[in-house]
Amino acid sequence: MSTAKKQYKRITTKTLVDMKNRGEKISMLTAYDYTMAKIVDGAGIDVILVGDSASNVMAGHETTLPITLDQMIYHAASVIRAVERSLVVVDIPFGSYQSDPKEALRSAIRIMKESGGHAVKVEGGKEIKESVKRILNAGIPVMGHLGLTPQSIYKFGTYTVRAKEEAEAEALKQDALLLEKAGCFAIVLEKVPAKLAQEVAQSLTIPVIGIGAGNAIDGQVLVTHDMLGMTHEFNPRFLRRYLDMYKEMTTAFKSYSADVKSGDFPNDTEQY
Ligand code: KIV
């Protein structure tokens, strides 16, 4: 290993819990490929999520359901090759852990062995408790995901805010406690009222990382392509765009096309 690499301190699941205890917020973004992961890691983002949102962002599917375990492993392995510091968490895709705990463990093991990912993420609470325990018993760190869980979108029927009603909020709190007790190292809370997210974060010793879950929690996650403004049809209230890459890239592509067509590119210094 080069000395340049040694100066990086790797983020571990324990680092995240220490950060929560210190009151230091956790930054998390998605990446699905080597080049993006290199930039995200180099920028000092604490956690890289190889999300099954790759199904939407990379493959153009309407939901996260179609992406396969093999495809997730391909994305995760590409990310891992780029990363020096961030903790890399990999989504176990729909259909690879819900049916029985043995299958869940097999899927998690494949992700860890074949991609080199550092942890896995699963969606759901008490209904996947045995799967979570089985994965954890094999020494594989698990991140939970509650609230709006996109793998269940056909059950919800809509992407609106979850757990606004008392009964669903109570069930979510119970699920969060159950995941902590089972041994999860962190939980993602997606699109739930900020007050509920705050209560959950305060009641747990493990970090709660939110997307559309307010600011009174331990960290934030966004889909990188959304925060860069590469996607422009998706405009939820929680999304802050840090660039308008759609516009920037379109301008660049148009300039390139014009230069090629006019014969301006390549010029004398751009050839051999
Ligand atoms: O797949 C994903 O990108 C996610 C985030 C939205 C948390 O699960």
Side-chain angles (χ1 to χ4, degrees):
M1 193 189 274
S2 72
T3 44
K5 275 192 175 176
K6 277 189 194 146
Q7 78 192 7
Y8 287 94
K9 198 168 185 303
R10 271 200 177 278
I11 304 287
T12 66
T13 55
K14 181 175 177 305
T15 318
L16 301 186
V17 177
D18 291 346
M19 286 170 83
K20 173 169 177 134
N21 291 337
R22 283 201 303 271
E24 185 182 340
K25 298 265 187 177
I26 297 162
S27 59
M28 173 161 145
L29 284 173
T30 59
Y32 321 107
D33 65 33
Y34 176 87
T35 305
M36 188 69 89
K38 193 127 191 113
I39 302 171
V40 174
D41 179 66
I45 298 301
D46 302 311
V47 185
I48 294 182
L49 173 65
V50 185
D52 58 0
S53 50
S55 179
N56 313 103
V57 177
M58 303 303 282
H61 292 297
E62 204 177 311
T63 72
T64 59
L65 275 67
I67 199 159
T68 66
L69 185 58
D70 284 340
Q71 288 165 342
M72 286 303 298
I73 289 169
Y74 168 79
H75 286 299
S78 308
V79 166
I80 281 290
R81 282 192 284 275
V83 166
E84 297 184 349
R85 174 183 173 275
S86 309
L87 181 80
V88 178
V89 181
V90 185
D91 265 333
I92 310 188
F94 176 70
S96 308
Y97 62 96
Q98 291 92 344
S99 62
D100 82 272
K102 279 189 190 160
E103 191 198 17
L105 178 57
R106 269 196 301 276
S107 300
I109 288 176
R110 278 201 62 202
I111 287 173
M112 302 299 281
K113 276 183 99 87
E114 296 176 39
S115 77
H118 308 142
V120 297
K121 175 163 84 57
V122 287
E123 295 182 5
K126 62 177 181 310
E127 68 283 7
I128 56 157
K129 183 174 125 192
E130 294 310 318
S131 293
V132 169
K133 281 188 176 167
R134 186 66 75 103
I135 298 169
L136 284 162
N137 280 343
I140 299 172
V142 178
M143 177 181 269
H145 184 156
L146 297 171
L148 177 65
T149 46
Q151 293 180 8
S152 305
I153 192 58
Y154 289 114
K155 186 176 90 181
F156 298 145
T158 155
Y159 284 97
T160 52
V161 180
R162 302 303 312 175
K164 280 162 95 175
E165 306 302 329
E166 185 59 33
E168 192 181 340
E170 197 45 50
L172 188 146
K173 286 188 215 168
Q174 295 303 321
D175 278 343
L177 276 173
L178 177 148
L179 291 174
E180 170 168 272
K181 272 198 191 141
C184 287
F185 70 91
I187 293 175
V188 164
L189 271 191
E190 180 164 353
K191 239 178 162 183
V192 297
K195 193 165 172 307
L196 171 64
Q198 176 177 22
E199 279 175 41
V200 174
Q202 282 173 352
S203 70
L204 300 187
T205 58
I206 58 172
V208 172
I209 300 175
I211 173 163
N215 200 13
I217 50 180
D218 308 303
Q220 299 293 327
V221 54
L222 285 175
V223 170
T224 298
H225 290 65
D226 294 336
M227 60 85 80
L228 291 179
M230 290 173 87
T231 50
H232 70 154
E233 318 80 13
F234 181 61
N235 286 302
R237 188 203 293 197
F238 67 75
L239 176 59
R240 185 180 293 182
R241 293 196 197 282
Y242 289 82
L243 285 174
D244 188 347
M245 286 289 282
Y246 190 92
K247 197 164 127 205
E248 295 291 323
M249 290 171 83
T250 302
T251 303
F253 296 150
K254 283 185 175 170
S255 300
Y256 166 73
S257 178
D259 289 352
V260 169
K261 287 180 191 295
S262 70
D264 180 69
F265 176 79
N267 63 25
D268 289 349
T269 66
E270 291 164 331
Q271 55 190 312
Y272 301 98

